Amino acid sequence: MSDRFKLNGKIALVTGSSQGIGHALISGLAEEGAIPVVNARSTDHAKAAVKAFEDKGIKAYSAVFDVTDKSAVEAGVNQTEAEVGPIEILINNAGIQYRTPLEDYPEEQWHRLLETNISGVFFTGQAVARHMIKRGRGKIINICSVQSELARPGIAPYTATKGAVRNLTRGMCTDWAKYGLQINGIAPGYFKTPLNQALVDNPEFSAWLEKRTPAGRWGDVDELVGAAVFLASPASSFINGHVLAVDGGITVSV
Ligand code: NAP
């Protein structure tokens, strides 16, 4: 067996990994041998995720911080580096959604979305990259979206943030590839997670989505794991600044 896709002993920090896509991704990396560091704002959520790993015999760690709080991010990243070891893989996954017509969109929600979905990626990426740059290696994967490319009614601010994450991915690559870092993105289509509960519960939306997606269905979060393992592994060593769509074909068809 080749080691191209192996992540043995590599420390992987995934923001927002107590549930949903983040949890699926960190579990998938751990299955390939990575050491998982779970992040969430809630200590209880992070503890439950760590326990789930330990129940399966996998040693796991937590780093509880809010990605919108720059000093908390730096403290959490520095503590992980000091107590767990070098972070070789970072997935910037934590993100939120808020749906309402644009003309009524509350200012407070606009700022929350920008802070979480854009500043969170910048703060965590910068804090981890400073360590990776010193070592001359590291993999950063930013979770973008089908909304990095396409708009939908009621979520214009989310669309703006995910377009920004795509371009921040390109900017991080442009500035940091010369230090041996690789920064890529994954753009998920529609997956059944708590973030999308309102859509999952809406039969009209599900029927529309199944018709609109060439694959004819919602995605399963485990179907994102292959892309994350690939971008975190030696197999992708010359891929940089790329955003890989995992969306059943929705962004290539009208
Ligand atoms: P989710 O089920 O709502 O999970 C969000 C996770 O992020 C939780 O673990 C939450 O834990 C954590 N979190 C939220 N705000 C945080 C903050 N400020 N700091 C640290 N952790 C925070 O969401 P999801 O559907 O898995 O989405 C994950 C990512 O994928 C997001 O970036 C989203 O935009 C993107 N995405 C999702 C879909 C989809 O179909 N679901 C499609 C495209 C892109 P705590 O509450 O304990 O903090």
Side-chain angles (χ1 to χ4, degrees):
M1 286 289 285
S2 105
D3 283 343
R4 262 190 212 108
F5 295 95
K6 282 287 156 213
L7 304 175
N8 290 341
K10 295 196 167 153
I11 295 165
L13 169 64
V14 180
T15 66
S17 49
S18 62
Q19 64 174 35
I21 289 176
H23 191 64
L25 296 182
I26 200 167
S27 304
L29 298 185
E31 276 169 27
E32 297 308 324
I35 300 169
V37 181
V38 177
N39 160 261
R41 288 164 301 183
S42 149
T43 306
D44 288 349
H45 293 171
K47 265 192 191 159
V50 168
K51 184 171 179 315
F53 277 119
E54 292 186 341
D55 288 348
K56 288 193 246 166
I58 297 169
K59 180 73 189 139
Y61 299 85
S62 67
V64 175
F65 57 80
D66 184 327
V67 297
T68 67
D69 179 344
K70 187 172 189 287
S71 8
V73 169
E74 286 172 356
V77 166
N78 293 342
Q79 192 179 352
T80 302
E81 285 269 335
E83 293 175 7
V84 184
I87 300 168
E88 302 271 359
I89 302 160
L90 165 67
I91 303 188
N92 278 311
N93 163 79
I96 55 168
Q97 175 63 289
Y98 184 84
R99 298 181 178 89
T100 209
L102 186 55
E103 60 279 16
D104 299 326
Y105 216 92
E107 183 185 347
E108 176 206 332
Q109 296 298 342
W110 164 259
H111 287 297
R112 259 188 78 229
L113 272 162
L114 263 58
E115 282 300 301
T116 310
N117 295 4
I118 308 177
S119 303
V121 174
F122 168 62
F123 294 153
T124 318
Q126 189 186 51
V128 172
R130 285 178 178 147
H131 293 279
M132 290 177 164
I133 287 169
K134 281 188 211 146
R135 293 189 280 269
R137 64 174 190 280
K139 303 264 199 178
I140 298 178
I141 301 168
N142 295 328
I143 300 304
C144 304
S145 169
V146 63
Q147 267 86 40
S148 294
E149 304 298 333
L150 302 173
R152 279 273 305 150
I155 56 165
Y158 179 85
T159 306
T161 66
K162 289 297 178 176
V165 175
R166 178 200 58 206
N167 270 7
L168 190 52
T169 302
R170 294 171 176 170
M172 286 175 167
C173 159
T174 302
D175 274 36
W176 296 338
K178 61 178 174 285
Y179 300 118
L181 276 58
Q182 285 167 262
I183 303 91
N184 291 293
I186 294 174
Y190 285 85
F191 291 79
K192 290 184 180 180
T193 68
L195 178 113
N196 272 341
Q197 201 55 49
L199 304 182
V200 174
D201 294 343
N202 178 343
E204 215 177 290
F205 180 88
S206 269
W208 170 83
L209 180 72
E210 284 160 17
K211 240 175 117 188
R212 173 69 181 80
T213 306
R217 61 176 176 84
W218 286 81
D220 184 291
V221 288
D222 286 339
E223 293 177 296
L224 287 160
V225 169
V229 169
F230 170 57
L231 293 176
S233 71
S236 59
S237 57
F238 199 51
I239 297 180
N240 225 325
H242 182 71
V243 175
L244 178 53
V246 182
D247 65 359
I250 198 167
T251 46
V252 297
S253 99
V254 284

